[in-house]
Amino acid sequence: MTSEIILQAIVTGLMMGLIYALIAAGLSLIFGLMEIVNFAHGEHLMLSMFSSFWLWSLFGLDPLFSIPITILLMAFCGIITHYFLIRYILKAKMLIQICATFGLSIFIRSIAQLLWTPDFRNVDKPLLEGRIEIGSVFIGQPQLYASLVCLVAFFGLYWFVTKTETGLALQATAQDRHAAEILGIPSNKMFAIGWAIGLGCVGVAGGMMANYFFIFTDVGINFALFAFVAVALGGFGSIIGCLYAGIIIGLVESLGGLLIDPSFKLLYVFVIYLLVVIYKPQGLFGRY
Amino acid sequence: MDSKLAIAKSEPIWNTNNKVISIIAGLIILLFALPLFGMNSFYLHLFIMIFMHAVMAQSWNVIAGFSGQISLGHGAFFGIGAYATSFFYMEYGITPWISIFFGMFVSAIFAVLIGIPMLRLSGHYFAIATLLIGISFQVVFQRWDLVGAASGLWVTMTPEDSWLALQFHSSKAPYYYVFLVFFLITFFLVWLLSRSKLGYRLRAVRDDPQAALSLCINVSNYKIIAYVISAMIMAPMGSLFAQYILIIDPDRVFNIEISIIVLLITVLGGIGNVWGPIIGAAILVPISEYSRIYLGGTGGAVDLILYGLILMIICIFRPNGLISFIPKNILERNKQR
């Protein structure tokens, strides 16, 4: 076990972590806004990867260029989700909210399985290919660019939420729905925007991952699990917390896999999750 | 709450509305008599699956419906039950009748071990943690050589039907009776639980933990009790299922689909209601089995599409489940004798 291998694992974990962070940020935004955990988040990620794949396979559009389309599609998907499902369960009990989004996840996954079969697919010869070598560390180009784009998107999201007027309106709605409505911020519209942005983040992550990751109908489960963990770790509703949490998870996953046993990656993340939620239930940066 | 409890206590089962009792008794006799009318093995299988799923859903109902903790990884206890029973039977030749209790015992221990740290969490935190637990069990069992790793356990077959080994190859009717008896016992016990002091305390914990705490109800202890009871209901079904299909592997008995379907059945039937799981199972299991017959070739996901759709529709329009269509005073204690 040389230091190069460990360095390599750290770089890999870091790159993965940035992607987890962006996926988790979408989840966190939605949760912060209406206190609903989107259990279909992984399936939305799967949809965005498939959107990227089909745009490539049917229209020959490279995943890199189809990202804007994927983002728009996912934002649309978010608005639809809000309009047809979430709108009705806003006031329901938490149990019903969990069951409803869980039902959505089963529905999307099995429809995808029916339409596209559970086969593994991948994008052949994307523009981003190959790897670069820095010192003794190999960095896959698609992975590198994916994580950089995710980082940029993450800070874009952060800027949007903290600096623009719409973002501040989102925050106001998150803090107190009724007070915000008195000030003339329509909460229903804000929720729809929140869903659109939350799933737009997933669209960025999914579109970039389509460059190098296998695309299949169950792909979202693991990512969604890590995103849930990241959101709990960073603190429900905190966006900047997701960045740190995502990186921690990425590092734990890759270093744990290297130092102990790669087949139990999930367990290490799980242990971290348990430790954090037991000893610091509000997460690292949580406001709840 | 206390007066309701007093009413429940003062009215033993034989004082319930006579019509309801006679209908239930008639149904039970009918269920016992059904195989005598020469049902073919598909219908026997269908009923076995309905009984099994009703009990599994009832198990989930105890933790989620009564004490309000949403477990998304309840399949873990099903798998533990299946593995414990088959393992003790194959390695030491212990009859399943005894090793079912091993399964329950092991599940209960795991429920305590999992419950002590996790039931301090609430709401979403608990749901996510159980989702992770369900998948972790599958991951561990897929790599555990002692229990056959990913290829699973092939239960040693007896040459002919044997009540001792709980294996019947010539007919499914004995399985039918075994599952039916477990089904009836479980529902009777849970019905008693729902009327007991414990049941009312669990519901108090669910509805308002703070108020429950102020009434000297130790919230986290009661959650753990509910979790253990729930695990002990789930485990025997895993054991019996293993004896029924005689081969178990991690992908089958720790499948996330198990955790999904128990949730779905309960929510469809009526969460927090003793009778909800029966209604849910009686509707969903036939949908699943028939769609497997008629649409089996298409990847088998059609039933899951329906499940997801039903779950969302129920959540939107009938959050209390189908049982809310039935007027309350028929099922609950009826004052007029």
Side-chain angles (χ1 to χ4, degrees), chain B residues 140-193:
Chain B
V140 169
F141 271 82
Q142 270 169 353
R143 283 154 183 94
W144 193 3
D145 288 326
L146 181 68
V147 291
S151 59
L153 292 175
W154 298 62
V155 179
T156 330
M157 298 242 269
T158 52
E160 58 224 19
D161 293 5
S162 146
W163 276 97
L164 191 65
L166 201 59
Q167 289 184 15
F168 310 99
H169 310 300
S170 56
S171 159
K172 279 182 173 159
Y175 282 121
Y176 176 92
Y177 285 113
V178 171
F179 275 98
L180 177 59
V181 167
F182 267 87
F183 165 77
L184 292 176
I185 292 174
T186 309
F187 270 78
F188 183 64
L189 291 180
V190 173
W191 180 74
L192 283 184
L193 171 75

Side-chain angles (χ1 to χ4, degrees), chain A residues 31 35-37 39 84-85 88-89 92-104 106-107 109-111 113-114 221-222 225-226 228-229 232 235-236 261 263-264 266-267 269-270 273-274 277-279 281-283 288, chain B residues 60 64-65 68-70 72 117-118 120-133 135-137 139-140 143 256 259-260 263-264 267 271 298-302 304-309 311-312 315-317 319-320:
Chain A
F31 180 84
E35 301 195 9
I36 288 177
V37 171
F39 275 91
F84 284 104
L85 180 65
Y88 299 101
I89 56 165
K93 281 185 285 187
M94 192 189 69
L95 179 111
I96 296 301
Q97 294 173 339
I98 291 181
C99 291
T101 52
F102 204 55
L104 180 67
I106 306 166
F107 180 69
R109 188 163 5 127
S110 29
I111 282 256
Q113 234 166 59
L114 183 73
I221 294 176
N222 268 337
L225 279 178
F226 286 171
F228 294 146
V229 175
F236 270 105
D261 183 346
S263 48
F264 295 119
L266 188 75
L267 294 188
V269 175
F270 182 34
Y273 171 79
L274 270 190
V277 292
I278 287 170
Y279 290 108
Q282 72 276 35
Y288 294 101
Chain B
W60 193 78
Q69 301 296 305
I70 299 152
L72 298 180
M118 289 206 346
R120 293 172 56 191
L121 318 175
S122 58
H124 300 110
Y125 291 103
F126 180 74
I128 292 168
T130 49
L131 192 61
L132 283 162
I133 282 216
I135 294 174
S136 310
F137 266 101
V139 169
V140 169
R143 283 154 183 94
I256 191 162
S259 313
I260 296 173
L263 177 152
L264 183 56
V267 173
I271 190 159
T298 52
V302 180
L304 281 178
I305 298 177
L306 280 177
Y307 287 174
L309 208 57
L311 192 50
M312 284 189 287
C315 286
I316 293 174
F317 296 108
N320 288 327

Side-chain angles (χ1 to χ4, degrees), chain A residues 33 168-188 190-191:
Chain A
L33 207 54
L168 291 175
L170 280 176
Q171 279 194 345
T173 314
Q175 273 173 13
D176 193 331
R177 200 176 296 176
H178 302 295
E181 267 178 355
I182 290 170
L183 295 173
I185 301 170
S187 60
N188 221 3
M190 285 300 131
F191 291 153

Side-chain angles (χ1 to χ4, degrees), chain B residues 58-74:
Chain B
Q58 188 66 275
S59 146
W60 193 78
N61 197 16
V62 169
I63 181 76
F66 289 0
S67 83
Q69 301 296 305
I70 299 152
S71 163
L72 298 180
H74 232 54

Side-chain angles (χ1 to χ4, degrees), chain A residues 134-145:
Chain A
I134 302 173
S136 55
V137 179
F138 291 99
I139 300 174
Q141 282 213 37
Q143 285 92 329
L144 178 66
Y145 285 107

